[in-house]
């Protein structure tokens, strides 16, 4: 599977972006508000690597995670040709689907993602986009 991005939970998206810029990353677009996650999201790129900064608002379902982990990497996102097929295959391998597919407007209009969990390596995100 191709890695699309590494997701970071961050408290202050501007400060986090500045820290990644000092490592040579450049903004991959504007900061977007994702209503489903109730979070500000942006992407930064460097030499073929992409990070996603997710800054949950206090009302976000992700805010609890933020309080627990502070500023941290929390998922790797893999791009797959079909969410349905990948979920089915990974479930056979013991992965658990966390949440049904949802839109990911910060990535693109036709982007859909799911989150899955492995007891051995934690959470991943799968992305399908055309
Ligand atoms: Ni992500």
């Amino acid at each position: 599977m191709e890695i699309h991005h590494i997701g970071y939970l961050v408290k202050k998206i501007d400060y986090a972006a500045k820290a990644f810029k000092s490592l040579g990353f450049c903004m991959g677009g504007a900061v977007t508000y994702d209503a489903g996650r109730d979070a500000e999201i942006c992407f930064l790129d460097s030499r073929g690597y992409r990070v996603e900064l997710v800054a949950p608002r206090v009302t976000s379902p992700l805010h609890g995670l933020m309080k627990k982990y502070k500023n941290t990497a929390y998922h790797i996102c893999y791009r797959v040709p079909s969410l349905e097929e990948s979920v089915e295959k990974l479930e056979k391998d013991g992965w658990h689907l966390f949440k049904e597919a949802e839109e990911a407007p910060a990535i693109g209009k036709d982007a859909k993602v799911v989150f899955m969990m492995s007891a051995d390596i934690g959470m991943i995100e799968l992305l399908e986009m055309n």
Side-chain angles (χ1 to χ4, degrees):
M1 289 182 191
E2 177 197 342
I3 291 179
H4 183 268
H5 65 260
I6 299 167
Y8 277 76
L9 269 180
V10 300
K11 202 165 183 180
K12 293 183 174 149
I13 205 160
D14 294 350
Y15 290 8
K18 197 176 158 199
F20 273 107
K21 283 176 191 165
S22 72
L23 298 174
F25 282 79
C26 296
M27 292 298 286
V31 174
T32 310
Y33 174 66
D34 181 322
R37 290 166 191 78
D38 194 17
E40 318 290 338
I41 294 179
C42 73
F43 289 89
L44 292 102
D45 296 288
S46 173
R47 300 170 186 234
Y49 292 94
R50 184 177 297 127
V51 294
E52 172 190 45
L53 306 182
V54 180
R57 295 189 177 175
V58 278
T59 43
S60 167
L62 292 169
H63 193 249
L65 273 185
M66 171 81 249
K67 276 178 80 174
K68 187 171 173 190
Y69 295 110
K70 312 286 181 201
N71 297 308
T72 186
Y74 77 115
H75 69 261
I76 292 181
C77 175
Y78 297 86
R79 188 171 173 181
V80 296
S82 158
L83 283 185
E84 210 180 310
E85 283 172 23
S86 296
V87 167
E88 200 184 310
K89 184 188 174 298
L90 289 174
E91 279 182 332
K92 280 184 193 146
D93 292 342
W95 288 77
H96 295 284
L97 184 64
F98 214 58
K99 226 177 155 189
E100 291 303 315
E102 49 192 358
E103 292 177 0
I107 296 176
K109 269 186 193 157
D110 61 350
K112 285 186 299 180
V113 298
V114 294
F115 285 88
M116 295 191 80
M117 202 74 181
S118 153
D120 301 310
I121 61 167
M123 188 164 69
I124 60 164
E125 179 178 31
L126 300 178
L127 162 68
E128 179 189 319
M129 65 191 284
N130 298 316

